[in-house]
Short mmCIF file of all heavy atoms in Angstrom, two decimals:
data_model
loop_
_atom_site.label_atom_id
_atom_site.label_comp_id
_atom_site.label_asym_id
_atom_site.label_seq_id
_atom_site.Cartn_x
_atom_site.Cartn_y
_atom_site.Cartn_z
N HIS B 163 -15.91 -5.69 -19.99
CA HIS B 163 -15.43 -5.13 -21.25
C HIS B 163 -14.88 -6.29 -22.09
O HIS B 163 -14.23 -7.18 -21.55
CB HIS B 163 -14.32 -4.12 -21.05
CG HIS B 163 -14.84 -2.77 -20.69
ND1 HIS B 163 -15.20 -2.44 -19.39
CD2 HIS B 163 -15.08 -1.67 -21.43
CE1 HIS B 163 -15.63 -1.19 -19.38
NE2 HIS B 163 -15.56 -0.70 -20.60
N VAL B 164 -15.13 -6.23 -23.37
CA VAL B 164 -14.61 -7.27 -24.24
C VAL B 164 -13.13 -7.02 -24.50
O VAL B 164 -12.75 -5.93 -24.92
CB VAL B 164 -15.38 -7.31 -25.59
CG1 VAL B 164 -14.84 -8.44 -26.46
CG2 VAL B 164 -16.86 -7.49 -25.33
N LEU B 165 -12.32 -8.04 -24.20
CA LEU B 165 -10.89 -7.95 -24.53
C LEU B 165 -10.64 -8.88 -25.71
O LEU B 165 -10.99 -10.05 -25.68
CB LEU B 165 -10.03 -8.38 -23.34
CG LEU B 165 -10.15 -7.53 -22.07
CD1 LEU B 165 -9.14 -8.00 -21.03
CD2 LEU B 165 -9.94 -6.05 -22.35
N SER B 166 -10.03 -8.34 -26.73
CA SER B 166 -9.79 -9.16 -27.93
C SER B 166 -8.66 -10.15 -27.66
O SER B 166 -7.84 -9.96 -26.74
CB SER B 166 -9.43 -8.25 -29.10
OG SER B 166 -8.18 -7.65 -28.85
N LYS B 167 -8.63 -11.20 -28.47
CA LYS B 167 -7.54 -12.17 -28.39
C LYS B 167 -6.20 -11.47 -28.58
O LYS B 167 -5.21 -11.79 -27.94
CB LYS B 167 -7.69 -13.23 -29.48
CG LYS B 167 -8.53 -14.39 -29.06
CD LYS B 167 -8.47 -15.44 -30.15
CE LYS B 167 -9.48 -16.54 -29.87
NZ LYS B 167 -9.55 -17.49 -30.99
N GLU B 168 -6.19 -10.50 -29.52
CA GLU B 168 -4.95 -9.77 -29.82
C GLU B 168 -4.47 -9.01 -28.58
O GLU B 168 -3.29 -9.00 -28.26
CB GLU B 168 -5.15 -8.78 -30.98
CG GLU B 168 -5.43 -9.43 -32.33
CD GLU B 168 -6.83 -10.07 -32.40
OE1 GLU B 168 -7.76 -9.53 -31.76
OE2 GLU B 168 -6.97 -11.10 -33.08
N TYR B 169 -5.42 -8.39 -27.89
CA TYR B 169 -5.07 -7.65 -26.68
C TYR B 169 -4.46 -8.60 -25.65
O TYR B 169 -3.41 -8.35 -25.07
CB TYR B 169 -6.33 -6.98 -26.10
CG TYR B 169 -6.09 -6.25 -24.80
CD1 TYR B 169 -5.81 -4.89 -24.81
CD2 TYR B 169 -6.14 -6.91 -23.58
CE1 TYR B 169 -5.58 -4.21 -23.61
CE2 TYR B 169 -5.90 -6.25 -22.38
CZ TYR B 169 -5.63 -4.90 -22.41
OH TYR B 169 -5.40 -4.23 -21.25
N LEU B 170 -5.14 -9.73 -25.45
CA LEU B 170 -4.64 -10.69 -24.45
C LEU B 170 -3.28 -11.25 -24.87
O LEU B 170 -2.39 -11.39 -24.05
CB LEU B 170 -5.65 -11.81 -24.24
CG LEU B 170 -6.91 -11.40 -23.47
CD1 LEU B 170 -7.95 -12.51 -23.51
CD2 LEU B 170 -6.58 -11.05 -22.03
N LEU B 171 -3.16 -11.54 -26.16
CA LEU B 171 -1.88 -12.06 -26.64
C LEU B 171 -0.74 -11.09 -26.37
O LEU B 171 0.31 -11.47 -25.86
CB LEU B 171 -1.95 -12.32 -28.16
CG LEU B 171 -2.43 -13.69 -28.59
CD1 LEU B 171 -2.60 -13.74 -30.09
CD2 LEU B 171 -1.46 -14.78 -28.12
N SER B 172 -0.99 -9.81 -26.67
CA SER B 172 0.10 -8.85 -26.50
C SER B 172 0.37 -8.60 -25.02
O SER B 172 1.50 -8.31 -24.63
CB SER B 172 -0.21 -7.56 -27.24
OG SER B 172 -1.30 -6.91 -26.62
N HIS B 173 -0.68 -8.71 -24.17
CA HIS B 173 -0.47 -8.45 -22.75
C HIS B 173 0.06 -9.66 -21.99
O HIS B 173 0.72 -9.52 -20.98
CB HIS B 173 -1.77 -7.96 -22.09
CG HIS B 173 -1.97 -6.49 -22.26
ND1 HIS B 173 -2.30 -5.94 -23.47
CD2 HIS B 173 -1.86 -5.47 -21.40
CE1 HIS B 173 -2.40 -4.62 -23.33
NE2 HIS B 173 -2.13 -4.32 -22.09
N VAL B 174 -0.29 -10.84 -22.47
CA VAL B 174 0.08 -12.03 -21.72
C VAL B 174 1.32 -12.70 -22.31
O VAL B 174 2.20 -13.15 -21.61
CB VAL B 174 -1.11 -13.03 -21.70
CG1 VAL B 174 -0.74 -14.32 -21.00
CG2 VAL B 174 -2.30 -12.36 -21.01
N TRP B 175 1.37 -12.73 -23.65
CA TRP B 175 2.50 -13.41 -24.29
C TRP B 175 3.57 -12.43 -24.77
O TRP B 175 4.67 -12.82 -25.04
CB TRP B 175 2.01 -14.26 -25.46
CG TRP B 175 1.55 -15.62 -25.03
CD1 TRP B 175 2.30 -16.76 -25.07
CD2 TRP B 175 0.26 -15.98 -24.51
NE1 TRP B 175 1.55 -17.82 -24.58
CE2 TRP B 175 0.31 -17.36 -24.23
CE3 TRP B 175 -0.89 -15.27 -24.25
CZ2 TRP B 175 -0.78 -18.06 -23.70
CZ3 TRP B 175 -1.98 -15.95 -23.73
CH2 TRP B 175 -1.91 -17.33 -23.46
N GLY B 176 3.18 -11.18 -24.91
CA GLY B 176 4.12 -10.17 -25.35
C GLY B 176 4.55 -10.37 -26.79
O GLY B 176 3.79 -10.92 -27.59
N SER B 177 5.78 -9.99 -27.09
CA SER B 177 6.21 -9.97 -28.49
C SER B 177 6.44 -11.38 -29.06
O SER B 177 6.42 -11.57 -30.27
CB SER B 177 7.50 -9.15 -28.61
OG SER B 177 8.44 -9.64 -27.67
N ASP B 178 6.61 -12.38 -28.18
CA ASP B 178 6.86 -13.73 -28.71
C ASP B 178 5.55 -14.50 -28.95
O ASP B 178 5.53 -15.71 -29.04
CB ASP B 178 7.81 -14.53 -27.83
CG ASP B 178 7.34 -14.63 -26.41
OD1 ASP B 178 6.28 -14.04 -26.09
OD2 ASP B 178 7.98 -15.32 -25.61
N ALA B 179 4.45 -13.76 -29.07
CA ALA B 179 3.15 -14.40 -29.27
C ALA B 179 3.06 -15.06 -30.64
O ALA B 179 2.57 -16.18 -30.76
CB ALA B 179 2.05 -13.37 -29.13
N SER B 180 3.52 -14.40 -31.66
CA SER B 180 3.56 -14.88 -33.04
C SER B 180 2.28 -15.60 -33.47
O SER B 180 2.32 -16.69 -34.04
CB SER B 180 4.79 -15.77 -33.28
OG SER B 180 4.71 -16.93 -32.48
N GLY B 181 1.17 -14.99 -33.18
CA GLY B 181 -0.10 -15.41 -33.75
C GLY B 181 -0.67 -16.75 -33.28
O GLY B 181 -1.57 -17.28 -33.89
N GLU B 182 -0.11 -17.30 -32.22
CA GLU B 182 -0.65 -18.59 -31.77
C GLU B 182 -1.85 -18.37 -30.86
O GLU B 182 -1.83 -18.69 -29.69
CB GLU B 182 0.44 -19.37 -31.07
CG GLU B 182 1.66 -19.53 -31.96
CD GLU B 182 2.75 -20.33 -31.29
OE1 GLU B 182 2.58 -21.54 -31.12
OE2 GLU B 182 3.75 -19.72 -30.89
N ASP B 183 -2.91 -17.81 -31.46
CA ASP B 183 -4.01 -17.34 -30.63
C ASP B 183 -4.84 -18.46 -30.02
O ASP B 183 -5.62 -18.24 -29.13
CB ASP B 183 -4.89 -16.35 -31.39
CG ASP B 183 -5.54 -16.99 -32.61
OD1 ASP B 183 -5.24 -18.17 -32.91
OD2 ASP B 183 -6.36 -16.31 -33.24
N ASN B 184 -4.66 -19.68 -30.52
CA ASN B 184 -5.40 -20.78 -29.89
C ASN B 184 -4.94 -21.03 -28.44
O ASN B 184 -5.66 -21.56 -27.63
CB ASN B 184 -5.28 -22.06 -30.71
CG ASN B 184 -3.84 -22.45 -30.93
OD1 ASN B 184 -2.97 -21.58 -31.10
ND2 ASN B 184 -3.56 -23.75 -30.89
N TYR B 185 -3.70 -20.59 -28.13
CA TYR B 185 -3.22 -20.71 -26.75
C TYR B 185 -4.09 -19.92 -25.80
O TYR B 185 -4.28 -20.30 -24.66
CB TYR B 185 -1.77 -20.24 -26.63
CG TYR B 185 -0.76 -21.21 -27.18
CD1 TYR B 185 0.58 -20.87 -27.18
CD2 TYR B 185 -1.15 -22.43 -27.70
CE1 TYR B 185 1.52 -21.75 -27.68
CE2 TYR B 185 -0.23 -23.30 -28.20
CZ TYR B 185 1.11 -22.97 -28.21
OH TYR B 185 2.03 -23.84 -28.71
N VAL B 186 -4.56 -18.78 -26.26
CA VAL B 186 -5.45 -17.97 -25.40
C VAL B 186 -6.65 -18.83 -25.01
O VAL B 186 -7.01 -18.90 -23.84
CB VAL B 186 -5.91 -16.68 -26.13
CG1 VAL B 186 -6.91 -15.92 -25.28
CG2 VAL B 186 -4.71 -15.80 -26.45
N GLU B 187 -7.22 -19.50 -26.00
CA GLU B 187 -8.39 -20.34 -25.72
C GLU B 187 -8.10 -21.42 -24.68
O GLU B 187 -8.93 -21.68 -23.80
CB GLU B 187 -8.85 -21.02 -27.02
CG GLU B 187 -10.07 -20.38 -27.60
CD GLU B 187 -10.24 -20.76 -29.06
OE1 GLU B 187 -10.20 -21.97 -29.39
OE2 GLU B 187 -10.40 -19.82 -29.87
N VAL B 188 -6.91 -22.00 -24.79
CA VAL B 188 -6.53 -23.06 -23.85
C VAL B 188 -6.51 -22.51 -22.42
O VAL B 188 -7.09 -23.10 -21.51
CB VAL B 188 -5.14 -23.65 -24.22
CG1 VAL B 188 -4.64 -24.56 -23.11
CG2 VAL B 188 -5.23 -24.40 -25.54
N TYR B 189 -5.86 -21.35 -22.25
CA TYR B 189 -5.75 -20.80 -20.90
C TYR B 189 -7.08 -20.26 -20.38
O TYR B 189 -7.36 -20.34 -19.19
CB TYR B 189 -4.65 -19.75 -20.83
CG TYR B 189 -3.29 -20.39 -20.81
CD1 TYR B 189 -2.56 -20.59 -21.97
CD2 TYR B 189 -2.77 -20.89 -19.60
CE1 TYR B 189 -1.34 -21.24 -21.95
CE2 TYR B 189 -1.55 -21.54 -19.57
CZ TYR B 189 -0.83 -21.71 -20.75
OH TYR B 189 0.36 -22.36 -20.72
N ILE B 190 -7.89 -19.75 -21.29
CA ILE B 190 -9.24 -19.32 -20.88
C ILE B 190 -10.01 -20.54 -20.35
O ILE B 190 -10.69 -20.46 -19.33
CB ILE B 190 -10.00 -18.68 -22.07
CG1 ILE B 190 -9.38 -17.32 -22.44
CG2 ILE B 190 -11.48 -18.54 -21.75
CD1 ILE B 190 -9.76 -16.15 -21.58
N SER B 191 -9.85 -21.69 -21.01
CA SER B 191 -10.59 -22.88 -20.55
C SER B 191 -10.06 -23.34 -19.17
O SER B 191 -10.82 -23.78 -18.33
CB SER B 191 -10.54 -24.00 -21.58
OG SER B 191 -9.30 -24.66 -21.53
N TYR B 192 -8.75 -23.21 -18.96
CA TYR B 192 -8.21 -23.53 -17.62
C TYR B 192 -8.83 -22.60 -16.56
O TYR B 192 -9.22 -23.04 -15.48
CB TYR B 192 -6.69 -23.33 -17.57
CG TYR B 192 -5.87 -24.31 -18.38
CD1 TYR B 192 -4.55 -24.01 -18.69
CD2 TYR B 192 -6.39 -25.53 -18.79
CE1 TYR B 192 -3.77 -24.88 -19.44
CE2 TYR B 192 -5.63 -26.41 -19.53
CZ TYR B 192 -4.33 -26.08 -19.85
OH TYR B 192 -3.56 -26.95 -20.58
N LEU B 193 -8.90 -21.31 -16.93
CA LEU B 193 -9.46 -20.36 -15.97
C LEU B 193 -10.93 -20.63 -15.69
O LEU B 193 -11.39 -20.52 -14.56
CB LEU B 193 -9.29 -18.93 -16.50
CG LEU B 193 -7.92 -18.28 -16.25
CD1 LEU B 193 -7.80 -16.99 -17.02
CD2 LEU B 193 -7.70 -18.05 -14.76
N ARG B 194 -11.66 -21.02 -16.75
CA ARG B 194 -13.08 -21.34 -16.54
C ARG B 194 -13.24 -22.50 -15.56
O ARG B 194 -14.15 -22.50 -14.72
CB ARG B 194 -13.73 -21.68 -17.88
CG ARG B 194 -14.04 -20.43 -18.68
CD ARG B 194 -14.71 -20.78 -19.98
NE ARG B 194 -15.11 -19.57 -20.68
CZ ARG B 194 -15.05 -19.41 -22.00
NH1 ARG B 194 -14.61 -20.41 -22.76
NH2 ARG B 194 -15.45 -18.29 -22.55
N LYS B 195 -12.34 -23.47 -15.68
CA LYS B 195 -12.41 -24.61 -14.74
C LYS B 195 -12.16 -24.12 -13.32
O LYS B 195 -12.79 -24.59 -12.37
CB LYS B 195 -11.37 -25.66 -15.12
CG LYS B 195 -11.79 -26.45 -16.35
CD LYS B 195 -11.01 -27.74 -16.52
CE LYS B 195 -11.46 -28.45 -17.80
NZ LYS B 195 -10.45 -28.28 -18.90
N LYS B 196 -11.24 -23.17 -13.17
CA LYS B 196 -10.96 -22.65 -11.83
C LYS B 196 -12.16 -21.86 -11.28
O LYS B 196 -12.49 -21.96 -10.11
CB LYS B 196 -9.70 -21.77 -11.85
CG LYS B 196 -8.48 -22.62 -12.19
CD LYS B 196 -7.25 -22.26 -11.44
CE LYS B 196 -6.31 -23.46 -11.40
NZ LYS B 196 -4.98 -23.22 -11.96
N LEU B 197 -12.81 -21.09 -12.16
CA LEU B 197 -14.00 -20.35 -11.71
C LEU B 197 -15.10 -21.31 -11.28
O LEU B 197 -15.82 -21.08 -10.31
CB LEU B 197 -14.54 -19.43 -12.82
CG LEU B 197 -13.63 -18.27 -13.27
CD1 LEU B 197 -14.37 -17.34 -14.22
CD2 LEU B 197 -13.11 -17.47 -12.07
N GLU B 198 -15.20 -22.43 -12.02
CA GLU B 198 -16.18 -23.45 -11.66
C GLU B 198 -15.87 -24.04 -10.30
O GLU B 198 -16.74 -24.20 -9.46
CB GLU B 198 -16.13 -24.57 -12.70
CG GLU B 198 -17.42 -24.74 -13.49
CD GLU B 198 -17.20 -25.74 -14.60
OE1 GLU B 198 -16.98 -26.94 -14.30
OE2 GLU B 198 -17.19 -25.31 -15.77
N LYS B 199 -14.59 -24.37 -10.12
CA LYS B 199 -14.13 -24.94 -8.86
C LYS B 199 -14.44 -23.99 -7.69
O LYS B 199 -14.79 -24.43 -6.59
CB LYS B 199 -12.61 -25.16 -8.96
CG LYS B 199 -12.03 -26.06 -7.91
CD LYS B 199 -10.59 -26.40 -8.26
CE LYS B 199 -9.78 -26.74 -7.03
NZ LYS B 199 -8.35 -26.87 -7.36
N LEU B 200 -14.31 -22.69 -7.95
CA LEU B 200 -14.59 -21.68 -6.91
C LEU B 200 -16.08 -21.42 -6.76
O LEU B 200 -16.50 -20.65 -5.92
CB LEU B 200 -13.86 -20.38 -7.25
CG LEU B 200 -12.35 -20.36 -7.17
CD1 LEU B 200 -11.77 -19.10 -7.82
CD2 LEU B 200 -11.89 -20.47 -5.73
N LYS B 201 -16.88 -22.05 -7.65
CA LYS B 201 -18.33 -21.79 -7.67
C LYS B 201 -18.60 -20.28 -7.78
O LYS B 201 -19.50 -19.73 -7.13
CB LYS B 201 -19.01 -22.36 -6.44
CG LYS B 201 -18.90 -23.88 -6.32
CD LYS B 201 -19.73 -24.39 -5.16
CE LYS B 201 -19.88 -25.90 -5.15
NZ LYS B 201 -18.60 -26.65 -5.04
N SER B 202 -17.81 -19.63 -8.60
CA SER B 202 -17.92 -18.18 -8.73
C SER B 202 -19.20 -17.76 -9.44
O SER B 202 -19.73 -18.49 -10.27
CB SER B 202 -16.72 -17.64 -9.50
OG SER B 202 -16.88 -16.26 -9.75
N LYS B 203 -19.66 -16.59 -9.08
CA LYS B 203 -20.82 -16.00 -9.76
C LYS B 203 -20.40 -15.28 -11.04
O LYS B 203 -21.23 -14.77 -11.78
CB LYS B 203 -21.53 -15.00 -8.84
CG LYS B 203 -22.22 -15.67 -7.67
CD LYS B 203 -22.85 -14.61 -6.76
CE LYS B 203 -23.40 -15.27 -5.50
NZ LYS B 203 -23.15 -14.46 -4.31
#
Side-chain angles (χ1 to χ4, degrees):
H163 278 82
V164 182
L165 298 185
S166 67
K167 272 187 189 173
E168 293 71 33
Y169 177 94
L170 287 171
L171 271 173
S172 68
H173 276 72
V174 176
W175 275 263
S177 52
D178 56 357
S180 64
E182 305 181 71
D183 62 355
N184 56 323
Y185 285 178
V186 176
E187 257 162 50
V188 170
Y189 284 95
I190 291 280
S191 79
Y192 291 162
L193 277 170
R194 281 181 175 143
K195 286 197 182 104
K196 295 219 156 122
L197 295 188
E198 243 173 67
K199 195 170 155 189
L200 292 167
K201 298 186 169 61
S202 174
K203 291 177 187 141

